[in-house]
Amino acid sequence: MAISLTEAAARHVTRYLAKRGKGVGVRLGVKTTGCSGLAYQLEYVDEFAPEDMVFEGHGVKVLVDPKSLAYIDGTELDFVREGLNEGFRFNNPNERDKCGCGESFRV
């Protein structure tokens, strides 16, 4: 079981945490929503929860709750710039389908 992140994602998270002045990493999870059933949730975290599973890459901690891990195990978190747009991209090997709007996915 593992969650990883690219150097680009780690640089972005590190810069943002430094700008905030606090934080221990990011929390990656899923919620039930959208056309296909599940959507990614990503938020900056100031403290660990007792149930958190912690993965680390390039000096950045990624926290995941055990229920979400079943859907996102093996996911690589990336940060990409395409033209004027930029944002996180989730490379999830468990993903079987995505809705047309890109909001949700199914495993």
Side-chain angles (χ1 to χ4, degrees), residues 22-69:
K22 62 179 179 176
V24 295
V26 292
R27 184 181 312 283
L28 176 59
V30 296
K31 64 178 179 176
T32 304
T33 189
C35 315
S36 296
L38 298 169
Y40 296 105
Q41 283 188 299
L42 188 67
E43 62 186 3
Y44 293 94
V45 179
D46 294 330
E47 55 188 56
F48 297 98
E51 68 276 6
D52 282 336
M53 300 185 74
V54 181
F55 302 93
E56 189 167 350
H58 305 287
V60 173
K61 289 180 176 54
V62 180
L63 289 64
V64 179
D65 68 272
K67 289 180 183 177
S68 293
L69 188 60

Side-chain angles (χ1 to χ4, degrees), residues 5-26:
L5 67 165
T6 64
E7 286 184 47
R11 273 194 310 273
H12 182 78
V13 170
T14 301
R15 269 190 245 123
Y16 191 80
L17 289 174
K19 190 192 279 187
R20 283 179 83 220
K22 62 179 179 176
V24 295
V26 292

Side-chain angles (χ1 to χ4, degrees), residues 3-4 9 26-30 39-43 62 71-72 74-80 87-95 98 102-103 105:
I3 303 293
S4 61
V26 292
R27 184 181 312 283
L28 176 59
V30 296
Y40 296 105
Q41 283 188 299
L42 188 67
E43 62 186 3
V62 180
Y71 301 105
I72 59 176
T75 295
E76 177 189 62
L77 181 61
D78 194 8
F79 188 80
V80 294
F88 287 101
R89 179 177 292 159
F90 307 95
N91 300 315
N92 184 347
N94 305 304
E95 220 173 78
K98 264 188 180 172
E103 166 88 13
F105 68 99

